[in-house]
């Protein structure tokens, strides 16, 4: 109908060879800027996480690539989604672990840098350090809606 907005599901994802490739100690985080959003204003609808290790993770979203700030008025935290250890499932007792969180109510996200990037951090909530590359590979996929799908 005329005047209605058309929404389309899009996906942006990290690359196992270039994102989250460093070791991440327990309760530490690694920041990344994922390029390729179709716009600067989106609604996050779902998050998929693939990991070589069965870890608990927090996925943190930021409105700017400067991420957190000690001044709470300047901090650009958007939302945090937790993946408990039990959320990560393995198929057939071997190989990588998979987790998925659907957002019943979407997370409004605005890239205040206007760079069409998703500013995200991965926080290791397990007691073991995530290895760098190889056995520590992680892929994050974020499914989102954008107006008109452009």
């Amino acid at each position: 109908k005329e005047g209605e907005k058309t929404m389309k599901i899009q996906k942006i994802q990290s690359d196992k060879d270039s994102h989250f490739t460093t070791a991440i100690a327990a309760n530490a985080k690694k920041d990344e800027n994922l390029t390729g959003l179709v716009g600067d204003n989106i609604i996050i609808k779902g998050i998929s996480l693939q990991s070589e290790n069965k870890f608990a993770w927090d996925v943190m979203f930021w409105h700017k690539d400067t991420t957190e700030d000690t001044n709470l008025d300047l901090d650009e935290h958007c939302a945090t989604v937790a993946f408990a250890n039990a959320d990560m499932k393995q198929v057939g007792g071997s190989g990588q672990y998979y987790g998925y969180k659907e957002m019943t109510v979407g997370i409004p996200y605005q890239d205040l840098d206007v760079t069409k990037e998703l500013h995200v951090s991965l926080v290791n909530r397990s007691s073991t350090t995530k290895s760098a590359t190889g056995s520590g590979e992680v892929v994050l996929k974020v499914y989102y809606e954008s107006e008109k799908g452009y």
Side-chain angles (χ1 to χ4, degrees), residues 85-135:
N85 191 286
D87 292 331
M88 303 302 291
K89 308 292 185 194
Q90 196 175 45
V91 178
S94 65
Q96 63 185 302
Y97 293 86
Y98 301 90
Y100 181 77
K101 296 280 183 162
E102 185 172 352
M103 306 298 106
T104 308
V105 176
I107 299 171
Y109 177 85
Q110 183 179 23
D111 176 15
L112 296 177
D113 294 332
V114 194
T115 55
K116 293 187 173 61
E117 292 178 325
L118 185 67
H119 310 295
V120 62
S121 300
L122 188 63
V123 183
N124 177 4
R125 293 297 183 198
S126 296
S127 59
T128 306
T129 297
K130 174 202 143 332
S131 300
T133 64
S135 64

Side-chain angles (χ1 to χ4, degrees), residues 12-15 20 34 47-50 59 61 83 118 120-122 138-142:
I12 190 168
Q13 75 178 61
S14 65
D15 182 292
F20 309 115
L34 305 182
I47 302 167
S48 172
L49 201 54
Q50 295 168 250
V59 179
F61 297 99
F83 284 79
L118 185 67
V120 62
S121 300
L122 188 63
V138 175
V139 172
L140 172 71
K141 297 175 186 170
V142 177

Side-chain angles (χ1 to χ4, degrees), residues 9-28:
I9 295 291
Q10 304 282 342
K11 178 182 77 170
I12 190 168
Q13 75 178 61
S14 65
D15 182 292
K16 70 174 181 60
D17 297 316
S18 53
H19 300 111
F20 309 115
T21 57
T22 59
I24 305 175
N27 295 312

Side-chain angles (χ1 to χ4, degrees), residues 59-80:
V59 179
M60 301 180 76
F61 297 99
W62 308 90
H63 292 293
K64 289 185 173 183
D65 62 9
T66 51
T67 65
E68 80 277 6
D69 193 295
T70 54
N71 180 335
L72 298 182
D73 291 329
L74 300 177
D75 192 291
E76 290 297 344
H77 179 256
C78 173
T80 299

